Amino acid sequence: MLAKWWKRVVVYQIYPKSFYDSDGDGIGDLNGITEKLDYLKELGVDVLWICPIYCSPMEDNGYDISDYYRVDPMFGSNADMDRLLCEAGKRGMKIILDLVVNHCSDEHAWFKKAVADPDCEEAGYFYFKNTADEEEPNNWCSNFGGSVWTRLADGRWYYHTFSKKQPDLNWENPKLREKVYEMINWWLDKGVAGFRVDAITFIKKDLSFKSRATEDGFRYPIENLTDYPGIGGFLTEMKEKCFDKHDCMTVAEAPGVGNETFREYAGEDGYFSMIFDFTWENMESEADKSSIEAVERLKKRIFDSQRFVSKAGWSAVFLENHDQSRCVNKYLEKENICFESASALATMYFFLYGTPFIYEGQEIGMTNAVWNSIGEMEDVRAKGKYKEAIERRQDPQKVLEYFSELGRDNSRTPMQWNSEENAGFTKGRPWIKVNENYKVINVEEQKTRSDSLLSYYKKLTALHHEDVYEDVFAEGSVRQILEDVPAVFAYEREWDGRAVTVVVNFKKGPQEIQGTKAEVLLNNHKTLCAKDGKLLLAPYQAVVFDGKI
Ligand code: GLC
């Protein structure tokens, strides 16, 4: 069977609050995205994933939705969305939105009604519990710290996987499910090309709601209760009633899905087109990031996953997103962050088996920011965990250090467009601090420079789309090579007699490998030394070859 369209695309993720502010209120907006479409077209991306733009009190930057049908005024209007869809379409680009249906906002009309009247229909759209004493119904801990339960004035407790302003929707209720499907189809009919599906493995609950034992005596982390048995019924129904009716692309954030259930999620007939490959997301916890051992561990995780996924289905490959720190900080030691290492990282993942995603700013090598206090941070998760640490009498300074390095705000600082005030992101006061390095790292500076990271990303997307190679990336097998050469990350993609080889040296010194100089399609260095059946790779050299080497 020939590749689905979403196997041939490069996706660009936009965090709308931080992308480009067209009206000077300090917050990015839809018209700002429309203004930058030519930039994105030139970058060579085909699909834009836009994080939530719906009406929201913004407790979790839009992942708390109070009206699924309306664009939040802070981002513009529904007419602006129509215009964006139309302008993107003119340029041959598609838009996918975030679908957040594990929970909504406590300011959604459904929840307000449910709070006002325990017997109304909407009360059945959520999980409420009464307890005899004033105890929480169980010991489960929410993803943002604290209990999953919050008590209403009338004594009822409601359930939330994330913050207390994000009450979970009760998927057991067929009426609720119908409402959700209606909304999904409404957006698909409007012309969105699909969805990134948020936190979807949380929608099925352990309905016993029994407390669970923990080793430390603290609450039981809800993140252990993903992909709960019975979830498949809901997901099959959503696929049949919505996704199958449109030729859409769906990419699920599906924590907890391992090899056992991968096929159900992202196999040929899976619930979704693909799921994000999170198997190598947490490499940042390794102490000495760019040591040979660390690279070897990363190599193993990536290729274990590739071997499995390439037989089982399809995945989305990425280095960054709005929940992660910047990839250069995550995978490299500070002193090694440079064009060569950043482009080596990019080359490493871009041609893997799966659809590559680029996160805004990654293409210019944006870095983590410096956070001096919790007060500078905006992230509800960082604040929740900080508060929790104080309650548990742990050292809050440690939490600050953790979030400075790994916190989500690192990827949410404004896009660095130029060296003017606020990095050219806004004429107003930015909603979150701008990374101080914008004078050095920005689009304007890199746009005209052929040896910039931005120019390199353009070459990556161009190669991905080149007629003769497109099938190789969309259909081809993946095979790791040079497995035993320390800190060398190399693979072949192959389809129908045509092959492409990717070789990346993550060693801080030169590295010799077996290989002949096949036609070089891409090289992040000016030269490549070849002699007597050997190639001498410079530190952080990344080369893509036509054929095998
Ligand atoms: C997902 C999103 C994250 C959000 C959470 C709750 O993990 O990526 O940003 O906070 O879901 O919706």
Side-chain angles (χ1 to χ4, degrees), residues 15 49 60 63-64 98 100 103 144 162 166 196 198-199 202 253 255 321-323 379-380 408 412:
Y15 200 66
W49 152 27
D60 188 17
Y63 284 94
D64 46 320
D98 229 294
V100 189
H103 47 271
F144 290 163
F162 296 91
Q166 295 166 295
R196 176 269 188 181
D198 186 67
F202 286 102
E253 184 195 35
N321 67 28
H322 66 292
D323 293 330
D379 180 17
V380 58
R408 310 195 295 178
R412 299 175 180 185

Side-chain angles (χ1 to χ4, degrees), residues 295-305 307 480:
V295 179
E296 287 301 301
R297 280 193 292 267
L298 178 62
K299 239 166 92 171
K300 182 165 174 2
R301 286 211 209 162
I302 292 183
F303 286 113
D304 280 353
S305 168
R307 270 184 284 274
Q480 182 179 14

Side-chain angles (χ1 to χ4, degrees), residues 215-236:
E215 270 168 26
D216 60 6
F218 289 118
R219 292 193 178 97
Y220 180 81
I222 193 63
E223 65 203 35
N224 296 341
L225 290 178
T226 49
D227 193 22
Y228 203 73
I231 193 171
F234 298 153
L235 297 178
T236 304

Side-chain angles (χ1 to χ4, degrees), residues 30-31 33-34 37 46 48 50 53 71 77-97 186-194:
L30 292 180
N31 288 339
I33 301 174
T34 306
L37 284 176
D46 316 274
L48 310 178
I50 306 180
I53 41 70
V71 168
S77 63
N78 283 35
D80 295 338
M81 176 54 97
D82 291 340
R83 197 164 72 88
L84 173 57
L85 284 166
C86 171
E87 289 299 319
K90 279 188 202 162
R91 291 163 177 81
M93 289 192 271
K94 296 180 195 286
I95 307 263
I96 65 173
L97 296 180
W186 186 83
W187 281 106
L188 288 171
D189 288 339
K190 222 174 175 5
V192 310

